[in-house]
Amino acid sequence: MHLLTPKGVSQKLSLTIHFLEHKQAEFEHLENEIASFKAEVSQQQSRLGDLNGTTSDALPEKTRNSESSEGATV
């Protein structure tokens, strides 16, 4: 069994707060990065639709099904 002194408790609390602040900043950075990637994908899809004169909704069902099943395991 380990006993913490008041100084040890204070140090542990300080380290924990620093760790949580670091992880919160990392989480927010990842959220922003994911949002940026989603926006980029959406723009690319719009451009492809504009180039092809169609959107994925207008693709034949067979094409949509094959696209959505890519990477899916059976």
Side-chain angles (χ1 to χ4, degrees):
M1 178 193 246
H2 297 298
L3 296 176
L4 288 177
T5 64
K7 183 179 178 183
V9 170
S10 176
Q11 288 176 339
K12 188 171 185 175
L13 178 60
S14 178
L15 287 171
T16 301
I17 290 170
H18 176 74
F19 174 80
L20 289 174
E21 287 171 346
H22 174 75
K23 288 299 177 181
Q24 183 68 36
E26 184 179 4
F27 176 79
E28 290 169 2
H29 173 77
L30 289 172
E31 276 187 320
N32 291 335
E33 194 171 10
I34 289 169
S36 175
F37 288 147
K38 285 182 177 181
E40 185 178 338
V41 167
S42 179
Q43 287 176 352
Q44 292 296 331
Q45 287 176 333
S46 294
R47 287 186 195 138
L48 285 174
D50 291 345
L51 290 175
N52 295 329
T54 185
T55 64
S56 62
D57 292 339
L59 292 174
E61 186 174 336
K62 184 176 179 182
T63 304
R64 283 197 312 263
N65 288 340
S66 66
E67 286 178 353
S68 64
S69 64
E70 287 178 11
T73 57
V74 179

